[in-house]
Amino acid sequence: MAITAPRGTRDILPGESWKWNYIINTASETMKDFGFREIHLPIFEHTELFSRGVGETTDIVEKEMYTFIDRGERSITLRPEATAGVMRSAIENNLCVQNSIAKLWNWGPMFRYERPQKGRYRQFYQIDAECLGVQNPFADVEIISLSIEIFRRLGLKNLEVVINSVGCEKCRPIYREKLLNYFDAHKNELCETCLTRLDRNPLRILDCKKEACSKVADGAPDIYDSLCDECREHFEEVKKGLERLNFTYKLNKRLVRGLDYYTKTAYEILSGDLGAQNAVAGGGRYDNLSTAIGGNKIPGVGFACGIDRIMLVMEQQNCSFGEVPKTDVYVAALDNEAKGAAQSLTYELRKNKISAECDISGKSFKAQMKNAGSCNFACIIGSEEIAKNSVSVKNLSDGTQVNIPISEAVEYINHQV
Ligand code: AMP
């Protein structure tokens, strides 16, 4: 039996890869306009980076990591997310010394052992941006506006920005205690998973999707009542900043996100066109991540968006992916004797950055011209052209044809494309 791709992975085939590139190029241009610089990190890291960074009690660390012992007896994990790796690199490479700011972005595959469904894969791709070294709420606004701008440029419609504050190490324990008391009193209404979350991470019960738990969570204490002055002020400034930029957003006091490192701002961008897995981007502030992984205190705020999901939404909303890539020239040989000359001219065009194709499989002239149909020009070479060192160039959009010396072909076509 032929081997198939592992469950939860998918191939990005040529029919899709050019659209994929459009998304990445658009993100890349936007990052540049916002002053973010590209960083590329290993796909695997020490397991400890994620268990300490993302948090022992998170779904990611408890159930979803691809972890293995390598041949040197080290515990290695395929990265389930990018932020911890970026912070690790910033600490290791001193990217954020003496109050300097590091604005970094990257894209690539992430790995989580989740139940695959539409928009949820075990190997998926994220575009990720992190702003390190700034505590100021302006940085949160910078990050949120960056993610919104990428989606605006991609033409995504029907999006909703949802924000919350999850407090800090000072006020969250107080809120946690209140939650614990509340949920403990509603124990028998909670699902199995939430019962296990009760002691370990009661905040996660707030975003359980099960109806019964959701009902209980509706009546849970409000996090805003527990925020300390600093967190409350920070949250107000973020909201003001978003309003200054004319963004509409919704507050959702139950948005806690699945990663422990968030402090203060947490946000998501949701699409009305995705079904159950409706988040296209998620992020927030993580002022304690650096110390959790053994570094100095470096505040940070960032986001990640799922390329697979962006693609799904763009397809559904008939968004433009720019121009379909087209080959400029097809060099057709009238007979077998001309095939070598056709390949030489093709290579000459390619050397001059004109995209060109010729037959490499022994096709008839008629079949070659059929292939030429998707190009802008056809260059035709037969024995007559070889004898005269010439080539016939046909403009395939208007049907006009000229015969020119072969040495002028590059210049001629360069003028036309
Ligand atoms: P997170 O790292 O969980 O905050 O997720 C950030 C974004 O990555 C989400 O909003 C999704 O767009 C995307 N994402 C997360 N998990 C998956 C997955 N299993 N499959 C596809 N996309 C995902």
Side-chain angles (χ1 to χ4, degrees):
M1 213 166 53
I3 298 166
T4 56
R7 186 166 142 78
T9 68
R10 63 195 198 93
D11 303 325
I12 294 139
L13 301 173
E16 197 181 12
S17 59
W18 66 278
K19 298 180 181 176
W20 192 265
N21 285 342
Y22 177 77
I23 296 173
I24 291 160
N25 290 340
T26 304
S28 170
E29 279 165 19
T30 317
M31 297 287 181
K32 186 169 160 278
D33 293 344
F34 276 68
F36 280 69
R37 296 193 303 160
E38 209 163 337
I39 183 171
H40 287 289
L41 301 171
I43 281 171
F44 62 86
E45 298 267 5
H46 292 296
T47 302
E48 214 186 342
L49 175 68
F50 304 111
S51 50
R52 279 170 56 186
V54 176
E56 291 282 4
T57 63
T58 58
D59 283 355
I60 291 182
V61 172
E62 278 187 341
K63 301 188 281 204
E64 297 172 358
M65 294 203 303
Y66 279 89
T67 296
F68 58 95
I69 303 295
D70 76 3
R71 287 169 199 272
E73 303 286 308
R74 300 171 200 92
S75 181
I76 293 293
T77 294
L78 300 186
R79 62 182 186 192
E81 58 98 58
T83 309
V86 173
M87 187 57 98
R88 194 256 321 130
S89 174
I91 296 167
E92 195 171 338
N93 298 295
N94 290 322
L95 301 182
C96 240
V97 280
Q98 287 169 349
N99 298 332
S100 64
I101 304 175
K103 300 204 294 182
L104 306 165
W105 82 277
N106 68 90
W107 76 275
M110 306 294 153
F111 305 85
R112 292 183 197 170
Y113 192 82
E114 293 191 274
R115 197 165 43 79
Q117 66 181 88
K118 184 182 166 199
R120 188 162 74 188
Y121 311 98
R122 289 179 175 170
Q123 173 169 338
F124 59 98
Y125 295 80
Q126 283 184 340
I127 294 165
D128 170 86
E130 313 290 348
C131 175
L132 308 183
V134 201
Q135 200 121 34
N136 199 297
F138 274 89
D140 307 42
V141 176
E142 170 118 335
I143 279 290
I144 298 173
S145 62
L146 166 60
S147 53
I148 293 175
E149 179 60 13
I150 293 174
F151 295 144
R152 195 190 67 78
R153 291 190 190 187
L154 289 171
L156 264 66
K157 295 171 284 286
N158 202 8
L159 295 181
E160 190 173 85
V161 180
V162 186
I163 66 166
N164 191 22
S165 174
V166 294
C168 65
E169 69 277 14
K170 278 179 274 164
C171 54
R172 194 155 50 193
I174 302 167
Y175 181 58
R176 189 181 184 278
E177 206 51 40
K178 283 191 197 168
L179 270 187
L180 207 66
N181 289 337
Y182 172 79
F183 284 127
D184 201 50
H186 291 82
K187 240 180 182 166
N188 42 16
E189 295 156 66
L190 298 177
C191 74
E192 291 272 310
T193 321
C194 284
L195 282 177
T196 65
R197 284 172 176 156
L198 198 54
D199 285 330
R200 297 167 63 82
N201 196 348
L203 262 82
R204 291 299 317 281
I205 303 176
L206 292 173
D207 73 354
C208 179
K209 301 284 180 289
K210 301 232 170 65
E211 209 185 323
C213 300
S214 183
K215 237 185 195 163
V216 180
D218 274 340
D222 197 322
I223 188 154
Y224 304 133
D225 297 335
S226 300
L227 291 181
C228 62
D229 287 349
E230 187 189 316
C231 286
R232 190 188 310 274
E233 233 164 75
H234 188 97
F235 195 41
E236 287 310 314
E237 287 304 317
V238 172
K239 288 192 283 183
K240 259 191 231 160
L242 295 178
E243 282 152 30
R244 218 178 283 127
L245 301 183
N246 285 325
F247 295 137
T248 43
Y249 60 85
K250 265 198 181 155
L251 299 177
N252 180 354
K253 59 182 183 181
R254 279 168 50 188
L255 176 76
V256 292
R257 321 243 318 110
L259 302 91
D260 273 1
Y261 53 56
Y262 287 114
T263 49
K264 298 193 170 83
T265 315
Y267 84 103
E268 278 187 340
I269 301 185
L270 310 176
S271 165
D273 291 302
L274 266 180
Q277 300 304 318
N278 63 348
V280 280
R285 174 164 283 283
Y286 44 88
D287 292 343
N288 301 327
L289 171 61
S290 66
T291 47
I293 60 173
N296 289 335
K297 180 129 181 135
I298 301 176
V301 55
F303 81 91
C305 56
I307 305 179
D308 312 81
R309 290 194 196 166
I310 295 174
M311 182 80 107
L312 280 171
V313 178
M314 287 181 71
E315 294 275 14
Q316 196 142 327
Q317 297 183 348
N318 278 323
C319 295
S320 163
F321 289 94
E323 264 182 50
V324 185
K326 216 173 166 187
T327 306
D328 295 321
V329 182
Y330 193 94
V331 184
L334 267 168
D335 42 52
N336 277 343
E337 288 66 50
K339 292 233 155 138
Q343 191 165 42
S344 301
L345 176 58
T346 304
Y347 183 56
E348 201 53 37
L349 292 165
R350 289 170 175 170
K351 278 202 296 192
N352 287 279
K353 297 188 178 166
I354 297 169
S355 61
E357 284 281 6
C358 65
D359 173 46
I360 51 170
S361 65
K363 284 203 170 84
S364 69
F365 178 67
K366 201 171 151 201
Q368 290 176 59
M369 286 309 282
K370 212 166 156 195
N371 282 352
S374 58
C375 301
N376 296 320
F377 292 91
C379 283
I380 300 161
I381 306 181
S383 42
E384 208 173 297
E385 279 83 0
I386 291 176
K388 288 199 273 174
N389 254 334
S390 71
V391 59
S392 300
V393 184
K394 186 171 182 175
N395 182 327
L396 292 167
S397 45
D398 62 18
T400 55
Q401 188 165 324
V402 292
N403 190 276
I404 55 170
I406 204 156
S407 56
E408 289 171 18
V410 168
E411 203 188 328
Y412 178 83
I413 290 166
N414 245 339
H415 266 108
Q416 314 274 325
V417 291

